[in-house]
Amino acid sequence: MAIILQCEICRQISKKTYCGECKKSIDYFEVFEYNNEATDHEAREPIERIKAYTWSDVLNFVKNKYFLETSDLNINCEKDFAYIEKKTLQDASNLNSLIDQLGYRIFLNKNIPIELNNSSSPGRFITDIT
């Protein structure tokens, strides 16, 4: 997201603060599910497409929707990519193996068609959290 023009109140708080009166750009994000087994996220369809203003909005949405507990999560956000996953746990009976690790990769995608086939299958419609 880019804040195109902040209102006077938000400008006094911080340069990253925005409200409904500020002019902002909208971005589109795709969410892919994975676990620690080898999976190729690029070959799969996204489970969710999201229309949002910021990475923070998207990460909070994914965290609240897909994780029952929001503690003990690894969250990393780069410019065009982010992930959110449960912290890795080791199997107590075998210290060399890891328990399945569930996580989500999120990609910024400026090429998502605005009009998708709003079918009931996951990832075929856009969730608007603006």
Side-chain angles (χ1 to χ4, degrees), residues 98-117:
L98 298 175
I99 296 174
D100 282 347
Q101 181 178 18
L102 176 66
Y104 298 90
R105 289 186 176 104
I106 305 162
F107 295 91
L108 177 63
N109 187 343
K110 296 183 185 273
N111 298 320
I112 293 178
I114 294 173
E115 296 298 325
L116 287 173
N117 166 8

Side-chain angles (χ1 to χ4, degrees), residues 57-79:
D57 294 341
V58 173
L59 288 169
N60 282 328
F61 176 81
V62 170
K63 180 174 65 171
N64 293 333
K65 182 172 181 178
Y66 295 106
F67 291 98
L68 296 177
E69 294 182 26
T70 57
S71 59
D72 286 340
L73 297 176
N74 286 329
I75 300 173
N76 187 15
C77 186
E78 301 295 334
K79 183 177 180 182

Side-chain angles (χ1 to χ4, degrees), residues 2-3 6-7 11 14 21 31 36 38 50 52 57 59 69 73 88 92 102 109 112 121 123:
I3 299 173
Q6 275 183 306
C7 71
R11 187 176 308 136
S14 84
E21 299 300 315
V31 180
N36 64 348
I50 301 171
D57 294 341
L59 288 169
E69 294 182 26
L73 297 176
T88 306
L102 176 66
N109 187 343
I112 293 178
S121 68

